[in-house]
Amino acid sequence: MSPPATAPRPPRPVTVTIAFWLQLAVVLVLLGLAALTVVQAVHFDGQIDRAVRLVPDADPDEVTGERRGNIATALILGVPAVLLAIWLAATVVPVRRGANVARILVFVASGAQLLVCFAQCCSGAFIVPLLAAPEIGAEPPPEWDEEWETSTFFDTLYSGTDPWDDLFFPAAGLGVLTVLTLSAAVVLLLALSPANRWFVPRTANETPPGPARPMPIPTYAPIGYGYPTTPLVPGFLPPGQPLPPGYLICPDPAAHLTPGVPGTLPGPTAPPTAPPEDAP
């Protein structure tokens, strides 16, 4: 059995074209966030080197912990941004061409962005301190807080103001907010009715929804043992109709039709009357 033929696809809606450009903008912003994360990691590593030069007797465990935390932060923020950018870049052209699977993948990617933002906020608060500790999973000693307060290395590393930090954190927050806003707009545009009809066209034999119409009920007349499978034509039997034994068929059905009115049966006739008697 051949698949049903699809109706000709209408022109691409304006909402799909707008969503195409917004999705490209999301890809560019995600790549910009990933590049910004790499620059921040390189910059902070230079800050660690500066603190080591200023404090030659710094604890190696403290230095190692800061470098691990720097790498972990870059991976937590940068890798999801790159993966989402690749995901959306791979689906942007199929979406513009009308691939419904690509549209579904865009919906999934938008939901994944929310999960990634939530996971980054949670993991950044728990993973980085563990990686910065000298021994992962071990409980810090009681004097750990005092060492943090009296550590010359930490005081040198985090003292003063860094103009780059004042620029990085607002830019990163604005980029994340832009990605979420544009992604929500893309999902909304691709889910509207014009876009939905364009991505999922109707078949050629499918009629658009409308008011229900009553189905015509054909009139059938019983003949023989059952009901005919085709409408009854006056004076003729339906083809293939079984007849009981001894049923007589008129050799000339046209004789039963009323002259001058084709397709009708003769009505009842009046009984014959006696001829009038001659008057005297």
Side-chain angles (χ1 to χ4, degrees):
M1 182 178 179
S2 59
T6 57
R9 174 171 289 181
R12 183 174 60 247
V14 179
T15 56
V16 177
T17 304
I18 298 175
F20 167 78
W21 292 108
L22 292 182
Q23 188 172 340
L24 280 180
V26 173
V27 173
L28 295 178
V29 175
L30 286 173
L31 293 178
L33 287 175
L36 192 63
T37 302
V38 173
V39 173
Q40 167 64 16
V42 174
H43 173 75
F44 190 73
D45 191 73
Q47 293 295 96
I48 296 175
D49 293 337
R50 181 187 64 86
V52 171
R53 289 193 303 267
L54 295 177
V55 185
D57 58 344
D59 188 354
D61 292 336
E62 295 177 352
V63 178
T64 302
E66 288 298 316
R67 295 190 188 278
R68 289 178 179 176
N70 184 33
I71 295 174
T73 302
L75 294 177
I76 292 173
L77 298 178
V79 172
V82 173
L83 294 179
L84 287 173
I86 295 175
W87 189 333
L88 293 175
T91 56
V92 64
V93 175
V95 165
R96 189 174 185 270
R97 293 177 178 175
N100 191 42
V101 176
R103 183 180 68 144
I104 296 174
L105 292 177
V106 171
F107 294 161
V108 175
S110 301
Q113 289 177 5
L114 296 177
L115 295 178
V116 166
C117 291
F118 179 77
Q120 287 174 347
C121 296
C122 295
S123 60
F126 295 101
I127 295 179
V128 174
L130 293 177
L131 294 176
E135 296 181 1
I136 299 178
E139 295 183 359
E143 64 274 7
W144 191 80
D145 293 337
E146 297 179 0
E147 290 180 359
W148 175 273
E149 296 176 358
T150 59
S151 174
T152 307
F153 170 74
F154 289 136
D155 291 341
T156 305
L157 180 62
Y158 293 101
S159 62
T161 59
D162 190 352
W164 170 254
D165 291 340
D166 297 337
L167 177 63
F168 169 74
F169 291 104
L174 181 61
V176 172
L177 182 60
T178 302
V179 168
L180 294 178
T181 303
L182 293 180
S183 299
V186 171
V187 171
L188 178 61
L189 292 174
L190 295 181
L192 292 177
S193 297
N196 188 56
R197 290 193 298 267
W198 188 68
F199 281 101
V200 188
R202 297 187 179 92
T203 57
N205 56 354
E206 183 180 357
T207 57
R213 299 178 179 179
M215 294 295 294
I217 302 176
T219 303
Y220 297 96
I223 295 180
Y225 289 121
Y227 294 91
T229 56
T230 57
L232 180 62
V233 179
F236 298 91
L237 289 176
Q241 177 65 33
L243 299 176
Y247 187 87
L248 299 179
I249 300 178
C250 179
D252 186 12
H256 298 276
L257 300 178
T258 303
V261 184
T264 59
L265 295 176
T269 58
T273 56
E277 297 180 356
D278 295 337

